[in-house]
Amino acid sequence: MRTSMERFGAPFVTLVVAIVAIVLLEQRAVSSDGASYLAISRHWAEGEWTTAINGYWSPLLSLLIAPAAILGIPLIAAAKIFAGATSVAAICAVQRLMRVGGADPTIAAIVAVGASPFAVFAAIDNLTPDLLMATLLVLFVAEMVGGLQRPVVAGLLGGAAFLAKAYALPFIVVYPIVVAVAAGALVRFARRGDRGHDAAERMRWALRRLLRTAAVAAAIAVGWSALISIDEGRVTFSTSAEYNSAISQPGSPGNPYSYAGLIDPDHPTAFWGWEDPPKIVPEEEPVGDDASAGASATIETRTETTTTPGRVDRVTDNIVEAARSSALVAGSVIAAVITLLWASIAAVATLRERRASVKGAARSVSTILHLGLATAVYVSGLLVLVVNARYLYFAMLLAVAIGALGVSELAVRFPDRRRAVLALALILAMATAGRSSVALYRLDERADASNQLDDFLSGTDLEGLRISSSPVDLTGVGARCLDEGCVYLGRPIGRDADVLAGQFAEFDVDVFIVRTGVDVEIPVGARLLDRSDAVGLIVYDVSAVETPS
């Protein structure tokens, strides 16, 4: 029986850390992706359904924050409050997974407290639904580990994870299939020579529940996919995978904002083109030099464009990035690797010796391997596409649970050394919390830079204006238009004054923000509005520049 401290201690610590972090980081700028999710929330709240239905940005986060927009709560403030709640939910989800897996309650509580800084960092770093999806997937895996006693709930969790981030869908499809195949193979091997009637009956029972789970998740996925398919005019469940593959495939010039010049939003109520990135991919890579309108890239601009690596190099880079990102929960990752190695060796020994009598040990080993399999399925799918830290939050939460299960196994095997085992759990918690705590502290440093930028740009009224910058700055300048009511167009092509003037006229640019040190010629007629060497920005009014004849 768990005590109140074991049950609520870690969520309470997470809530306190989240509140402190949100207060200290009050003025930190929202990320570019986060700004797009919040813009779509506004579309939902204002009844702009066709604009809100978006094949690139999954809908769940935007829908959950839309009521705040309806009530008049500032979107960024609402998103930060929701992020704090998500961090608490993530810790509760990990605790449930550890409980279902048979972890020692005290050890589970200690390790969960250690994961609190990570959960808070993951929630508030970008204000995106990555931790929300990870939390839902952890709960989905917990239902699987628990034997799908509630198949409808499991299906709802899987469907909700897909609505949070579309890249959850391949995992939801592949993971249960891999688990079912592995379980069937193990049952056949372990029961070889017996009648196997009970094992076969259990497999049929599990399959029926798995099909019910799949039906519920599929209904949700098909429903949303139908909406975006109608919007896109073709059958699809998401446009994000296709777009990300297109800009990261070998030879691709990358994100269009880095080379395509000024980009108008796809619809009149959007504040930038990043609300629907696939709509801004140019049909042809820009080449040549069109000085009159600036519509194509100059030779000197093309030298700035970098191309993406080949497929093998990309996978290698992704492996390196995954290893680097895992430092956020380094203690748990190391413990998880050790635990999985032990469980693999124990599983082989059990199968060879047919030690069916040690049911407790067999259950803990199978649970650990189950979670290891889930981690492998999820991470391997990302390695062939793209990896960054926030895509790995789900795997990191699984690592926390696996590490706790490993320490719990020590408590079972060495009951007379419980104090030493609890001390080990405390060390694990501290090692898990260390890097994430540093990351939270660095968010505060980044917030200071954001505050300086806020103070500088607040001197210019940007509401209703069309903004360009050089270089492109989706977070520092672009995302600001979410609150300022302006439109961000990106970076103009080229450096020549006449080329820039032509683009400013063509796109009705009002304000041009230039980072100090950037080699561009300011067109005749541009008026200096503000300058800060401390922030490193210069602001020009270019609404009346002289265009080339």
Side-chain angles (χ1 to χ4, degrees), residues 512-536:
F512 185 40
I513 301 175
V514 185
R515 185 163 298 282
T516 54
V518 173
D519 183 19
V520 294
E521 297 178 5
I522 304 303
V524 175
R527 182 168 60 90
L528 177 67
L529 294 178
D530 206 349
R531 178 185 180 120
S532 171
D533 292 328
V535 176

Side-chain angles (χ1 to χ4, degrees), residues 21-70:
I22 290 170
V23 170
L24 291 178
L25 302 174
E26 180 184 2
Q27 298 301 319
R28 182 170 178 265
V30 65
S31 69
S32 56
D33 289 2
S36 288
Y37 280 109
L38 297 183
I40 293 170
S41 288
R42 180 178 293 161
H43 296 320
W44 284 115
E46 295 176 355
E48 298 170 354
W49 311 120
T50 57
T51 304
I53 296 173
N54 187 301
Y56 188 84
W57 306 108
S58 298
L60 186 59
L61 177 64
S62 300
L63 285 169
L64 291 173
I65 296 177
I70 295 174

Side-chain angles (χ1 to χ4, degrees), residues 236-406:
T236 182
F237 71 90
S238 171
T239 60
S240 58
E242 180 181 355
Y243 171 80
N244 291 330
S245 176
I247 67 171
S248 62
Q249 64 183 351
S252 167
N255 189 325
Y257 270 104
S258 67
Y259 68 83
L262 299 178
I263 297 170
D264 248 327
D266 182 54
H267 49 86
T269 58
F271 76 93
W272 60 359
W274 198 243
E275 280 192 30
D276 200 348
K279 300 289 176 62
I280 62 176
V281 178
E283 295 184 3
E284 297 181 2
E285 183 181 343
V287 293
D289 185 2
D290 184 350
S292 62
S296 303
T298 62
I299 297 300
E300 59 181 353
T301 300
R302 298 303 304 142
T303 62
E304 298 177 358
T305 300
T306 58
T307 57
T308 56
R311 288 184 177 85
V312 174
D313 290 339
R314 181 171 61 190
V315 171
T316 302
D317 291 344
N318 286 340
I319 292 173
V320 172
E321 177 62 21
R324 189 187 67 81
S325 299
S326 66
L328 275 173
V329 287
S332 286
V333 170
I334 294 171
V337 170
I338 295 172
T339 300
L340 286 168
L341 288 174
W342 165 81
S344 299
I345 295 170
V348 172
T350 300
L351 289 174
R352 291 173 110 182
E353 299 177 19
R354 310 282 184 94
R355 292 182 297 178
S357 59
V358 280
K359 293 181 179 178
R363 181 179 182 276
S364 64
V365 167
S366 65
T367 299
I368 290 167
L369 291 179
H370 191 144
L371 298 183
L373 187 61
T375 306
V377 169
Y378 180 80
V379 174
S380 61
L382 288 178
L383 290 180
V384 298
L385 294 173
V386 61
V387 168
N388 64 41
R390 59 192 176 100
Y391 293 173
L392 294 170
Y393 289 162
F394 170 53
M396 294 179 194
L397 292 178
L398 290 182
V400 172
I402 295 171
L405 290 171

Side-chain angles (χ1 to χ4, degrees), residues 324-539:
R324 189 187 67 81
S325 299
S326 66
L328 275 173
V329 287
S332 286
V333 170
I334 294 171
V337 170
I338 295 172
T339 300
L340 286 168
L341 288 174
W342 165 81
S344 299
I345 295 170
V348 172
T350 300
L351 289 174
R352 291 173 110 182
E353 299 177 19
R354 310 282 184 94
R355 292 182 297 178
S357 59
V358 280
K359 293 181 179 178
R363 181 179 182 276
S364 64
V365 167
S366 65
T367 299
I368 290 167
L369 291 179
H370 191 144
L371 298 183
L373 187 61
T375 306
V377 169
Y378 180 80
V379 174
S380 61
L382 288 178
L383 290 180
V384 298
L385 294 173
V386 61
V387 168
N388 64 41
R390 59 192 176 100
Y391 293 173
L392 294 170
Y393 289 162
F394 170 53
M396 294 179 194
L397 292 178
L398 290 182
V400 172
I402 295 171
L405 290 171
V407 178
S408 296
E409 186 63 23
L410 292 176
V412 172
R413 292 173 178 266
F414 304 101
D416 55 335
R417 298 184 180 180
R418 183 167 179 79
R419 288 188 178 181
V421 174
L422 291 179
L424 180 61
L426 183 59
I427 293 172
L428 173 58
M430 294 173 64
T432 300
R435 185 64 180 83
S436 299
S437 299
V438 172
L440 273 175
Y441 175 77
R442 289 180 177 173
L443 284 184
D444 186 44
E445 293 179 340
R446 286 155 59 185
D448 289 340
S450 178
N451 290 341
Q452 292 181 1
L453 184 61
D454 279 340
D455 292 341
F456 171 65
L457 290 181
S458 63
T460 304
D461 184 8
L462 301 178
E463 184 175 359
L465 301 182
R466 293 167 64 83
I467 315 298
S468 174
S469 70
S470 185
V472 65
D473 189 349
L474 294 179
T475 297
V477 177
R480 183 173 308 278
C481 284
L482 175 69
D483 266 355
E484 296 285 348
C486 49
V487 175
Y488 183 67
L489 303 170
R491 183 194 73 170
I493 292 174
R495 302 185 179 96
D496 182 76
D498 286 345
V499 171
L500 296 182
Q503 293 173 80
F504 293 157
E506 179 183 355
F507 285 85
D508 297 322
V509 178
D510 298 301
V511 173
F512 185 40
I513 301 175
V514 185
R515 185 163 298 282
T516 54
V518 173
D519 183 19
V520 294
E521 297 178 5
I522 304 303
V524 175
R527 182 168 60 90
L528 177 67
L529 294 178
D530 206 349
R531 178 185 180 120
S532 171
D533 292 328
V535 176
L537 291 178
I538 310 171
V539 182

